Amino acid sequence: MSKAKTRRRCLPLGDVLFRLHEEYTKVVKRKVDINDQVSIRGLTLAINNIGMVYFELKDVNQANYFFKKALLIDERINNQKGIAREMGNIGKVKLELNEFDSALYFLETSAAIDREIGNEFGEIESIVDIALVYYKKGDYQLAEKILIDLQKVKSLECVVAGIWIDQL
């Protein structure tokens, strides 16, 4: 990617990050009631989104910090969808850091939770990421097998969407 393209991509992400930080600060200052599930889930989603911006900016340590912060809150309120989301995102960070065993732990946990709660798209996204772990490890046959098996049990549209979204 050229420097000009990178700069154009980072400027909007920087603006988004600034706005997310502002919103996060406002919510934290309001001292959200832990019993207000809607507000707490919104807070963890905002924290997760801040992590995603850092991840896109390739600041994986900062991204990991926000994913773990969101995970702690979602675990406290037992928000299974949020736990699966953050486990998957931490798995992506571990994959980016070439910590393959750790990445597999987080991604497999994410896929299992998503399967349990019926979040098909989240499950597919995690399974695609698991295949990517094996691909990056050099186990191309296993990566291919995982994707072929996934295609057998899930609709082709969902698998293609999962792969396409994951590569944005």
Side-chain angles (χ1 to χ4, degrees), residues 80-81 83-84 87 108-118:
Q80 294 299 300
K81 188 172 183 179
I83 293 168
M87 293 290 275
E108 288 169 351
T109 303
S110 175
I113 294 169
D114 279 327
R115 185 176 312 109
E116 186 177 302
I117 64 173

Side-chain angles (χ1 to χ4, degrees), residues 48-151:
N48 180 73
N49 288 342
I50 292 169
M52 287 307 298
V53 172
Y54 278 114
F55 187 80
E56 288 299 318
L57 292 171
K58 304 294 184 207
D59 187 345
V60 291
N61 292 323
Q62 200 65 8
N64 198 43
Y65 169 80
F66 282 100
F67 294 149
K68 285 182 175 179
K69 192 177 218 34
L71 177 61
L72 287 172
I73 297 168
D74 275 329
E75 286 176 335
R76 185 169 177 192
I77 64 169
N78 197 29
N79 177 11
Q80 294 299 300
K81 188 172 183 179
I83 293 168
R85 178 184 57 237
E86 277 98 38
M87 293 290 275
N89 287 337
I90 293 169
K92 289 176 195 243
V93 166
K94 299 300 183 183
L95 175 59
E96 194 71 24
L97 295 171
N98 294 323
E99 296 175 12
F100 300 125
D101 292 337
S102 187
L104 285 172
Y105 166 77
F106 284 102
L107 293 169
E108 288 169 351
T109 303
S110 175
I113 294 169
D114 279 327
R115 185 176 312 109
E116 186 177 302
I117 64 173
N119 182 5
E120 186 178 35
F121 185 78
E123 179 187 358
I124 289 169
E125 184 178 4
S126 292
I127 293 171
V128 169
D129 287 338
I130 290 167
L132 188 56
V133 170
Y134 286 109
Y135 181 84
K136 284 191 168 188
K137 285 177 76 169
D139 193 341
Y140 307 117
Q141 288 181 332
L142 184 53
E144 181 180 35
K145 180 185 179 326
I146 289 169
L147 293 175
I148 289 170
D149 290 348
L150 180 62
Q151 186 177 345

